[in-house]
Amino acid sequence: MLNVLFVCSRNQWRSPTAEAVFRNRPGVRARSCGTSRRARRSLGPQLLRWADLVLVMEREHKRRIVETFPEDGRAAEIHVLDVPDDYGYMDPELVALLESRVTPILEDHGGMETGYGSTPLADLHDFADHFLVECPRCGSYAVVRPPTPTARPRLVCGHCGHTAESADNASILHQGYWVGIDGPASKAVDFYFREPLWLRQPCCGHVLWAINGDHLEWLAGFVSAKHRTGRRDPDTGWSNRSLASRLPRWMTSAKNRQAVLKALDRLRERLPTGG
């Protein structure tokens, strides 16, 4: 997954358009911000560290980044798109210009991956390095980490300070649990503490959920792909072990595509920085 940060001045027209255009592209996770203190979302060091690529609209934006954040700014890979401030949000000319300037950069850096259709092949293990859940104490988001050879599964809430360790290292992965798949809301829980997932949303009479930002973006890439011709996975062959093969029909149906993508957008709004 390639983390791409789009930057303009006030995060009103150009960079939010770029984020909207590219955030559903397979293999790409997009965010946007502005260099001004009055920006809708202001640039900070955390966003720079998150980004694999920083794509700025003007050369002035690059200069401000390097001056304001000398250490993180010089370490970042910054590309100037030369997109003037002449367009409104989602202006067709702006979208076309961004497509022509950004797509070659993403292709050069391994974005726009292919696999199952135009979406990378995936297994649930690819995303299970952490889970975003509701904190059982304060109701904000908390992070669950899986066990390591020297530590048990651990839940940490950065808001109220609540921490917990699971007495059981075993997950529920092999008990019929597949994240993002049809089922009652009570099944949308993490593998270890069985706490409700932070990213869940009613959709088409069902519950759509994801364990973290990477999984959410994979789902968005799969659902938005126009062609999903199956390919043989070198590890799973033609079996139904891959995540794509287990998605429910309501989620993959063309008639529900826009509703599912809107639900995924609502889940994105709940993502903490670093997702």
Side-chain angles (χ1 to χ4, degrees):
M1 188 72 68
L2 190 68
N3 292 340
V4 182
L5 180 65
F6 293 98
V7 182
C8 65
S9 298
R10 299 188 64 177
N11 192 223
Q12 288 184 318
W13 313 124
R14 291 173 291 176
S15 61
T17 297
E19 179 182 2
V21 169
F22 290 97
R23 66 187 175 192
N24 287 333
R25 301 298 173 90
V28 174
R29 183 165 61 177
R31 291 179 182 166
S32 66
C33 64
T35 56
S36 171
R37 292 183 179 179
R38 294 180 292 177
R40 188 176 60 91
R41 183 189 298 130
S42 293
L43 177 66
Q46 285 186 328
L47 280 173
L48 285 174
R49 293 168 195 157
W50 169 86
D52 298 309
L53 286 176
V54 180
L55 305 185
V56 302
M57 301 299 151
E58 302 173 24
R59 210 162 287 279
E60 173 65 13
H61 299 138
K62 180 177 180 178
R63 184 189 66 79
R64 290 187 183 181
I65 290 173
V66 174
E67 286 186 357
T68 308
F69 309 100
E71 183 174 345
D72 294 310
R74 290 191 176 90
E77 182 173 347
I78 304 175
H79 294 257
V80 180
L81 300 177
D82 289 321
V83 176
D85 193 10
D86 297 337
Y87 309 95
Y89 179 70
M90 295 304 290
D91 184 307
E93 290 187 17
L94 174 58
V95 171
L97 183 58
L98 289 168
E99 289 271 12
S100 66
R101 301 276 169 86
V102 174
T103 300
I105 298 174
L106 298 183
E107 291 176 344
D108 286 345
H109 287 77
M112 323 293 279
E113 300 172 30
T114 59
Y116 191 97
S118 61
T119 308
L121 288 162
D123 181 88
L124 198 59
H125 289 288
D126 296 337
F127 307 106
D129 63 332
H130 72 286
F131 301 78
L132 296 177
V133 301
E134 287 187 3
C135 174
R137 177 174 293 176
C138 72
S140 186
Y141 75 87
V143 178
V144 169
R145 300 284 181 184
T148 69
T150 59
R152 293 186 180 278
R154 186 171 177 84
L155 182 152
V156 177
C157 177
H159 296 266
C160 70
H162 175 64
T163 62
E165 284 190 352
S166 173
D168 185 3
N169 280 0
S171 78
I172 56 176
L173 178 60
H174 300 296
Q175 300 176 17
Y177 177 77
W178 287 85
V179 175
I181 296 179
D182 195 12
S186 61
K187 289 179 64 178
V189 297
D190 75 275
F191 291 178
Y192 303 98
F193 294 86
R194 283 63 162 176
E195 296 294 346
L197 292 174
W198 181 251
L199 301 174
R200 67 186 194 276
Q201 175 71 36
C203 180
C204 301
H206 303 269
V207 178
L208 176 66
W209 24 284
I211 61 177
N212 55 36
D214 286 344
H215 180 223
L216 173 61
E217 295 307 324
W218 184 91
L219 288 172
F222 182 87
V223 172
S224 63
K226 294 182 180 179
H227 304 287
R228 305 193 190 109
T229 303
R231 299 182 184 180
R232 187 180 187 280
D233 188 316
D235 297 319
T236 63
W238 293 106
S239 74
N240 67 347
R241 289 170 58 197
S242 71
L243 186 57
S245 70
R246 290 177 173 257
L247 293 179
R249 184 167 296 179
W250 69 265
M251 188 184 295
T252 60
S253 171
K255 70 177 183 179
N256 291 335
R257 177 178 294 159
Q258 292 306 314
V260 173
L261 290 175
K262 286 181 180 179
L264 291 168
D265 280 343
R266 288 192 286 272
L267 291 181
R268 280 195 186 93
E269 294 173 0
R270 290 176 62 80
L271 272 175
T273 300

